[in-house]
């Protein structure tokens, strides 16, 4: 990698070339955990409890996979571009295969395709965040770089969650999900070469350090603890939103509109978080955003049949704060890497955040789906009030508690200089 002076404010064209890859990459993250479990449960008849077990087992794979991706990136930094190309192939194949099951039992197929898509997502996302984290030293630039990247990611999320809902009424649900895989492939074919061209001309502080110790819990543990709680609190609503809209609100035809409102609201939230984070500091701004999000989750406890207007307001409010959740944690982690002199282990540090992101999404499903099954909940079927209460409290009550705990830890750790 090349060294040299780094301006605090990178040119817009370079930031765009770097961040655009986050748009197709977003197809393989949150949207999979929104669409895939509900598709397998409601359309293919797979039991909720069984899906929860598989999602839990997938975390054991990620527990090995993500640290290995991080270790390989730090051990062979020149191999990162090849790793990202391999990741693109795996991600496209996994997403396409997930929605076109064939040959094997459904649960086995679901697990294999999720592993393949998850591996591809890790190979790209871990290295993408690493390049952004060591590209510029100035804290304000890190927030701006993170903001642009997550802005593209949000654009990808918006397309990934709204496209299937819009096409399903015309071509059916499975065909609409296959269209999602096709758009992912096209996006990767456009954005990955653009990124690789940018990488060849950029300057970084990355070097191979085979003997460097991985970042320890003492340096990054407090950050990971807060980030894990926040990610898990966002994962429960992501895993259950389609069931909540269809089975509690009775507004299945508005599912796409709710998702669109949430992610569209996250766009100005991400831009505002990136701006304020560069001006006032990422930690104070993130703390304020988390406090604001509490109001949204509290309001969700009042949801019931027909409360469409209330849910739109909740989607807008929580979407706005979700933008901060996307932009600020990577910027905080990058600053922490610089403060602790851990640049040689930067990829492993970002791999930890990538692991927490996927672990939260799968853990939420592994917890929520069996709990709903025990409460007697059945997707796309009439449900007793007890089952709907369980859906409401798992969707909003658990995230409310997790966010409150995260806020307390974030304030405490920041005062002690550990975040």
């Amino acid at each position: 990698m090349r060294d040299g002076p780094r301006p605090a404010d990178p040119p817009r064209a370079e930031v765009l070339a770097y961040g655009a890859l986050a748009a197709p990459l977003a197809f393989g993250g949150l949207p999979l955990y929104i669409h895939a479990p509900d598709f397998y449960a409601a359309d293919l008849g797979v039991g909720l409890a069984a899906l929860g077990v598989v999602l839990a087992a997938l975390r054991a794979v990620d527990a090995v996979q993500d640290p290995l991706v991080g270790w390989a990136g730090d051990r062979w930094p020149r191999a990162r571009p090849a790793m990202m190309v391999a990741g693109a192939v795996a991600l496209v194949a996994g997403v396409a295969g997930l929605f076109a099951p064939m040959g094997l039992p459904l649960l086995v197929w679901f697990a294999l395709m999720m592993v393949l898509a998850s591996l591809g997502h890790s190979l790209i996302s871990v290295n993408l965040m690493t390049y952004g984290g060591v590209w510029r030293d100035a804290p304000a630039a890190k927030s701006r770089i993170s903001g642009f990247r997550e802005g593209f990611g949000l654009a990808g999320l918006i397309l990934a969650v709204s496209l299937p809902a819009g096409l399903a009424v015309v071509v059916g649900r499975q065909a609409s999900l296959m269209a999602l895989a096709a758009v992912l492939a096209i996006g990767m074919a456009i954005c990955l070469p653009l990124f690789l061209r940018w990488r060849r001309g950029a300057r970084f502080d990355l070097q191979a350090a085979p003997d460097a110790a991985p970042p320890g819990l003492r340096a990054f543990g407090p950050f990971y603890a807060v980030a894990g709680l926040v990610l898990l609190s966002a994962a429960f609503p992501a895993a259950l939103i389609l069931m909540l809209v269809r089975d509690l609100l009775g507004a299945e035809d508005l599912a796409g509109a709710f998702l669109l409102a949430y992610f569209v609201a996250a766009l100005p939230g991400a831009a505002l978080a990136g701006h304020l984070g560069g001006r006032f500091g990422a930690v104070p701004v993130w703390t304020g955003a988390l406090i604001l999000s509490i109001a949204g989750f509290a309001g969700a406890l009042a949801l019931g049949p027909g409360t469409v207007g209330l849910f739109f307001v909740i989607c807008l409010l929580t979407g706005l704060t979700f933008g901060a959740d996307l932009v600020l944690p990577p910027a905080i982690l990058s600053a922490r890497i610089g403060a602790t002199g851990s640049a040689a282990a930067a990829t492993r540090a970002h791999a930890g955040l990538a692991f927490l992101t996927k672990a939260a999404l799968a853990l939420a499903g592994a917890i929520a789906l069996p709990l709903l099954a025990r409460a007697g909940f059945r997707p796309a079927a009439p449900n007793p009030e007890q089952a709907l209460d369980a859906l409401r409290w798992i969707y909003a009550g658990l995230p409310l508690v997790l966010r409150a705990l995260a806020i307390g830890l974030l304030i405490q750790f920041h005062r002690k200089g550990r975040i």
Side-chain angles (χ1 to χ4, degrees), residues 242 244-256 258 305-308:
L242 296 182
L244 183 98
V245 171
R246 179 185 58 229
D247 301 305
L248 179 63
L249 302 185
E252 183 176 8
D253 55 332
L254 294 176
F258 288 130
T307 53
V308 170

Side-chain angles (χ1 to χ4, degrees), residues 399-419:
L400 185 64
V401 173
L402 292 169
R403 293 232 158 192
L405 180 58
I407 291 168
L409 289 177
L410 183 58
I411 293 173
Q412 180 182 6
F413 287 141
H414 187 51
R415 285 177 177 172
K416 293 182 177 180
R418 300 181 67 189
I419 290 185

Side-chain angles (χ1 to χ4, degrees), residues 18-357:
Y18 160 74
L21 183 60
L25 178 64
F27 281 47
L30 182 62
L32 286 189
Y33 291 88
I34 291 176
H35 294 303
D38 190 69
F39 171 67
Y40 273 75
D43 291 60
L44 302 182
V46 178
L48 290 178
L51 283 172
V53 170
V54 171
L55 288 171
L58 290 174
R59 295 297 56 84
V61 176
D62 278 335
V64 177
Q65 167 186 289
D66 287 340
L68 280 177
V69 170
W71 174 83
D74 287 328
R75 178 65 179 83
W76 300 291
R78 294 184 182 277
R80 286 191 179 95
M83 292 169 62
M84 296 177 77
V85 172
V89 174
L91 180 60
V92 171
V95 173
L98 189 63
F99 299 119
M102 59 183 72
L104 297 173
L106 287 175
L107 272 177
V108 175
W109 184 265
F110 174 81
L112 289 176
M113 292 302 102
M114 287 292 283
V115 167
L116 186 60
S118 177
L119 174 60
H121 190 273
S122 288
L123 287 168
I124 301 173
S125 63
V126 168
N127 288 293
L128 181 66
M129 287 193 295
T130 300
Y131 279 123
V134 300
W135 181 22
R136 291 295 187 271
D137 283 340
K142 290 184 184 298
S143 292
R144 183 168 180 254
I145 291 166
S146 180
F148 268 92
R149 181 186 64 235
E150 301 308 330
F152 276 107
L154 282 169
L157 278 173
I158 291 170
L159 182 59
V161 299
S162 60
L163 181 65
L167 289 179
V169 296
V170 179
V171 299
R173 191 177 191 190
Q174 186 171 16
S176 71
L177 292 171
M178 289 303 298
L180 189 73
V183 174
L184 165 61
I186 294 170
M188 277 292 169
I190 295 172
C191 295
L192 186 56
L194 183 67
F195 170 86
L196 294 175
R197 189 180 306 122
W198 162 83
R199 188 205 65 85
R200 287 194 294 269
R203 298 180 178 184
F204 309 101
D205 242 342
L206 287 169
Q207 66 257 5
D211 300 324
L217 287 178
R218 187 172 184 180
F220 300 109
F223 167 78
Y224 287 145
V226 174
L229 288 171
V230 174
L231 289 166
L232 185 58
S233 72
F236 280 105
L240 301 179
I241 184 170
L242 296 182
M243 298 178 191
L244 183 98
V245 171
R246 179 185 58 229
D247 301 305
L248 179 63
L249 302 185
E252 183 176 8
D253 55 332
L254 294 176
F258 288 130
L259 289 168
L260 186 61
Y262 178 81
F263 290 114
V264 166
L267 282 170
L272 184 61
H275 172 73
L276 295 178
R279 185 173 181 182
F280 300 108
V283 173
V285 175
W286 194 27
T287 304
L290 290 172
I291 293 172
L292 182 61
S293 71
I294 290 289
F297 286 105
L301 292 174
L303 291 172
T307 53
V308 170
L310 174 61
F311 193 54
F312 266 118
V313 173
I314 291 169
C315 287
L316 292 173
L317 178 58
T318 55
L320 185 71
T321 60
F322 177 64
D325 292 344
L326 287 175
V327 169
L328 297 176
I332 294 170
L333 179 58
S334 294
R336 190 67 181 161
I337 290 170
T340 57
S342 303
T347 312
R348 278 166 282 181
H350 284 289
L353 183 58
F355 166 72
L356 286 177
T357 301

